Amino acid sequence: MKARQHRNFDPSYLAATKLAELGYCETRMVLAQRIGQRSTPEQRKARRAGQAEHERFDRQVRSAHNHASTQDRRCFIATAVYGADDQRTQQLRDWRDAVLSHSVPGRLVIRTYYALSPWIARLLVRLPLLQGPVRTALDHFRHGLTDWNTQGDPHEHDG
């Protein structure tokens, strides 16, 4: 079986498998160097299954990490009322990403929101008395989202 080539191969790189083989059986390493790698059909099948599982897990981890790093953190009005890292602000971001961004009308709502909301957020910061009524309106909106779209969501029962 031909070894996979890595894009940026570092010649000083020593795979953990090779290190483990050194500790396991140095004679095996010497023989493999002299006569080449030999494996049974069962070993080749197990190796392919292991590589496939590793690639599946790698895709899953990369997907989780890439999603978190590329997520749009903007949510101007909720940030002005709740704070940037509040779970209620995140619930609204999650709804935007999971629901609104997947349709043409939803994307139009997002564009309109981003055109108007920075101005509204600045107003909320300058006039804190407006934050209470806006918070109440956002709370009602969020609870409507919970009832309509996010059954069992961890944000469902927050204050």
Side-chain angles (χ1 to χ4, degrees):
M1 175 179 261
K2 186 177 177 182
R4 291 191 327 162
Q5 295 293 323
H6 297 284
R7 286 187 192 164
N8 298 321
F9 181 72
D10 180 359
S12 65
Y13 173 78
L14 183 60
T17 303
K18 296 296 179 192
L19 287 172
E21 285 176 355
L22 280 172
Y24 175 69
C25 181
E26 65 185 50
T27 304
R28 182 174 175 211
M29 296 261 316
V30 170
L31 288 173
Q33 186 68 31
R34 283 189 197 154
I35 61 174
Q37 290 284 353
R38 296 188 180 178
S39 58
T40 66
E42 293 83 14
Q43 289 171 324
R44 288 190 295 271
K45 182 179 177 183
R47 184 177 298 120
R48 282 191 304 271
Q51 287 171 337
E53 177 61 22
H54 172 76
E55 289 169 4
R56 183 201 62 76
F57 181 73
D58 186 57
R59 279 191 307 273
Q60 179 183 6
V61 169
R62 287 177 189 271
S63 173
H65 286 283
N66 289 342
H67 174 71
S69 66
T70 60
Q71 183 183 33
D72 185 351
R73 296 266 308 150
R74 298 176 297 171
C75 201
F76 297 109
I77 296 172
T79 298
V81 172
Y82 300 128
D85 295 322
D86 191 281
Q87 65 183 4
R88 296 168 291 186
T89 303
Q90 189 58 46
Q91 179 190 16
L92 292 166
R93 288 183 191 124
D94 292 344
W95 180 75
R96 174 201 61 207
D97 295 341
V99 178
L100 285 181
S101 66
H102 293 284
S103 70
V104 173
R107 289 189 293 274
L108 179 61
V109 167
I110 292 170
R111 277 196 301 272
T112 303
Y113 173 81
Y114 285 134
L116 300 174
S117 63
W119 179 82
I120 296 168
R122 284 192 297 273
L123 186 64
L124 290 170
V125 170
R126 287 188 189 132
L127 301 171
L129 289 174
L130 295 177
Q131 288 184 16
V134 171
R135 181 179 295 109
T136 300
L138 283 177
D139 287 342
H140 286 295
F141 182 75
R142 282 183 331 92
H143 289 293
L145 293 179
T146 301
D147 295 340
W148 175 67
N149 191 45
T150 55
Q151 301 300 321
D153 187 277
H155 304 293
E156 185 173 1
H157 299 293
D158 55 6

